[in-house]
Amino acid sequence: MDFDLTEEQAAFRDIVRRWVNAELPKDLMRKLEADEENYPFPIWEKLKEQGFFGIGIPEEYGGLGGDVIMQMIFAREMARTAGGLLWVWGLTSFGGAKLLTVAGTEEQRQKWLPQMAAGNLRVSLSMTEPGGGTDVLGAMQTFADKVDGGWLINGAKMWTTGAKAADKLLLLARSDRQAEKKHHGLTAFFVDAKAPGITSTLLPKLGMRGMGSCSVIYDNVFVPDSDVLGEPHQAWKAMLPSLNNERIMVGAQCLGSIDGILEDALDYMKQRQAFGRPIGQFQILQHYAADIATSQKLVELLLYNVAWMQAKGLPCGNEANMLKMVATERAVEAADLGIQIMGGMGYSTETDMQRYWRDLRILRMTPISNEMVRNTIAENLGLPRSF
């Protein structure tokens, strides 16, 4: 039983940590996160210049190679300062590239993966329906109808993060209206984000602001056959292998954020004076710091275990769900304790604690609610389905 990173992994972590400290400091992240109207292009350009979009993309497609563990290491280090702005990297590298690698044809991989690795192609995920949420399949009202040379898309999506700045929208639509089961008859499309008939509207929200989540209307949008990912009507089956990676990404964001939360809390406890002494001497605040550190270790162990299982090709769906549930709840709790430790300054937009809390709170509901995660875990224990 070995919980240590390999020499290569540890060296990579140290390189990324130094780069994040130099190029993505927290004061810059606060500034970019607060500007909801504008996509954080400065972060994109820094990532592109360093070549980090190639992490996890095979070398034969212009990437840097590396498995999900290397992606997890990078995501953790970036999230320590960036919080939810991690998804500037994650949507394209961890989302779009993963599904394209799994479900795309060789021609599609040759066409798009080198562009992603080079940082020349931005991807947004257009999955959630206005009435859907966790029930994305049952609520699917975005339809794709076959026409000469391609498909016509009609419908609407919500929470398509980064849509206004995207080059491609990874869209899930119902292509067979007669399918007997809700996870049948779905097709994935790699849609030109600037195609005629697409209208994106910014959705103001509590956290994850700088990423610019949008509602997207598809009005007779033509998508050529060449932009269908995988087999028509079989998208859900093709997407399943990528779901564990999505939960690993969420776990890495949570762990990196806890790293940043603990870092800020300890610094503040050492310098802030009250009642004639540093507040770090107060027992109750020490308990809060101990609780945050314990959550950090718990999430770290879960994350490393699930990423290791995924990298080995072992079944880890249940473990990935447990990671998602525990990581999101412990991270939100850690940020809340961080605010309590810092008092009014923790609530101030001059510090990062409130930003961590706002960016993390959504993760208890997405990409799947923690209530649904618990249902799935219980079902995997042999209990009857509750939904």
Side-chain angles (χ1 to χ4, degrees):
M1 190 177 296
D2 186 357
F3 294 98
D4 289 333
L5 297 177
T6 66
E7 186 175 331
E8 178 187 7
Q9 290 166 346
F12 175 68
R13 177 202 59 198
D14 294 343
I15 289 170
V16 174
R17 185 171 297 173
R18 288 193 294 270
W19 180 83
V20 166
N21 287 338
E23 299 296 335
L24 304 180
K26 292 181 183 180
D27 56 351
L28 175 61
M29 298 300 98
R30 284 198 306 277
K31 178 182 176 181
L32 293 175
E33 188 272 341
D35 187 2
E36 193 163 14
E37 295 289 332
N38 295 293
Y39 186 84
F41 287 107
I43 298 177
W44 181 278
E45 292 304 318
K46 289 174 182 288
L47 292 164
K48 176 180 177 179
E49 181 180 356
Q50 200 66 24
F52 284 139
F53 286 109
I55 300 169
I57 295 178
E59 294 181 26
E60 60 263 35
Y61 301 111
L64 299 177
D67 59 13
V68 67
I69 297 176
M70 298 296 275
Q71 289 183 309
M72 174 207 70
I73 292 169
F74 179 84
R76 176 185 184 176
E77 294 301 324
M78 182 174 170
R80 181 175 58 85
T81 65
L85 292 173
L86 166 68
W87 293 94
V88 172
W89 173 79
L91 283 174
T92 295
S93 292
F94 215 86
K98 176 62 179 177
L99 187 58
L100 186 60
T101 301
V102 170
T105 65
E106 180 60 23
E107 183 180 356
Q108 289 170 333
R109 290 193 288 267
Q110 292 284 355
K111 180 180 180 180
W112 289 317
L113 284 178
Q115 294 185 55
M116 291 184 186
N120 294 326
L121 190 151
R122 267 183 295 277
V123 180
S124 289
L125 309 183
S126 200
M127 303 286 179
T128 304
E129 298 279 320
T134 296
D135 188 21
V136 62
L137 302 184
M140 184 71 64
Q141 294 295 312
T142 300
F143 294 104
D145 295 306
K146 191 72 181 77
V147 295
D148 232 15
W151 303 74
L152 279 183
I153 311 293
N154 285 280
K157 296 290 184 178
M158 290 283 284
W159 313 120
T160 300
T161 299
K164 282 183 169 292
D167 300 302
K168 287 285 189 178
L169 300 172
L170 185 50
L171 170 71
L172 185 66
R174 187 163 298 285
S175 52
D176 181 0
R177 299 173 191 243
Q178 308 304 318
E180 293 184 5
K181 297 184 178 179
K182 61 184 181 181
H183 62 282
H184 293 168
L186 301 169
T187 299
F189 300 90
F190 211 43
V191 183
D192 181 352
K194 305 300 187 291
I198 293 180
T199 304
S200 299
T201 305
L202 189 67
L203 297 168
K205 57 189 189 300
L206 173 69
M208 302 280 282
R209 294 184 304 187
M211 290 298 300
S213 296
C214 300
S215 65
V216 182
I217 304 298
Y218 297 86
D219 182 11
N220 278 334
V221 177
F222 177 77
V223 181
D225 287 325
S226 58
D227 289 357
V228 172
L229 291 183
E231 292 293 324
H233 318 309
Q234 302 295 322
W236 191 244
K237 182 179 178 181
M239 291 175 67
L240 286 176
S242 69
L243 296 183
N244 290 340
N245 286 59
E246 186 177 44
R247 286 149 177 72
I248 291 169
M249 179 69 167
V250 168
Q253 179 188 339
C254 289
L255 180 56
S257 296
I258 294 174
D259 292 341
I261 289 164
L262 185 59
E263 179 180 80
D264 287 359
L266 292 175
D267 285 346
Y268 192 78
M269 290 170 70
K270 291 172 184 176
Q271 64 176 323
R272 174 78 164 95
Q273 297 278 328
F275 302 100
R277 53 181 171 158
I279 65 172
Q281 287 186 357
F282 299 156
Q283 185 185 64
I284 187 60
L285 298 188
Q286 291 182 352
H287 289 182
Y288 291 166
D291 287 345
I292 295 171
T294 302
S295 292
Q296 180 188 45
K297 179 56 66 174
L298 173 61
V299 174
E300 180 182 68
L301 291 172
L302 276 170
L303 175 62
Y304 284 21
N305 177 244
V306 175
W308 174 81
M309 293 176 74
Q310 179 80 342
K312 292 288 187 182
L314 301 173
C316 59
N318 220 33
E319 291 81 0
N321 273 330
M322 292 174 180
L323 164 66
K324 192 272 178 189
M325 176 182 69
V326 172
T328 56
E329 293 180 1
R330 289 301 184 108
V332 172
E333 178 185 343
D336 195 70
L337 288 173
I339 291 173
Q340 197 71 14
I341 288 169
M342 295 180 67
M345 288 308 296
Y347 203 67
S348 170
T349 56
E350 295 179 18
T351 67
D352 294 284
M353 205 62 79
Q354 50 78 33
R355 176 169 64 93
Y356 287 122
W357 187 92
R358 290 186 293 102
D359 282 357
L360 289 165
R361 184 58 183 83
I362 185 63
L363 298 180
R364 284 173 54 187
M365 300 179 284
T366 186
I368 178 175
S369 73
N370 283 3
E371 290 75 15
M372 184 61 77
V373 166
R374 284 178 165 87
N375 291 342
T376 304
I377 293 171
E379 185 180 346
N380 287 335
L381 294 174
L383 297 175
R385 174 167 288 198
S386 61
F387 59 95

